[in-house]
Amino acid sequence: MTGWLEDLKPSGWVDGECVAWYMTWETVAGDDWSFAPVACGHGGGPAYVSFDYDPSDWSGGPQGITGVRDVSLGLFDA
């Protein structure tokens, strides 16, 4: 998955939220999920993040991916 994220309130008035893409993958063992890099400008992290993300690149990521069930943009507390 290739894309980008931007925290639109990275400074000034702080909303206390970070943003990430959440993905639900179809795998040979059933559905699994992961999330892409996080944009969290007010938390000391980058306010804008571009990425080229392969969830199976790390051992804790989903394995045996056969498709994508859902992709959604999510907020969470920093």
Side-chain angles (χ1 to χ4, degrees):
M1 173 175 261
T2 301
W4 58 271
L5 294 165
E6 184 174 8
D7 182 353
L8 295 175
K9 295 184 178 177
S11 61
W13 184 79
V14 178
D15 63 356
E17 300 286 333
C18 298
V19 63
W21 283 109
Y22 291 88
M23 283 88 45
T24 303
W25 307 100
E26 297 171 346
T27 74
V28 294
D31 289 350
D32 200 352
W33 68 274
S34 63
F35 60 92
V38 174
C40 193
H42 66 275
Y48 182 91
V49 177
S50 60
F51 59 89
D52 186 2
Y53 178 72
D54 180 352
S56 61
D57 274 353
W58 61 289
S59 62
Q63 303 297 310
I65 295 171
T66 59
V68 177
R69 178 166 307 279
D70 184 53
V71 176
S72 61
L73 186 63
L75 297 174
F76 64 93
D77 294 334

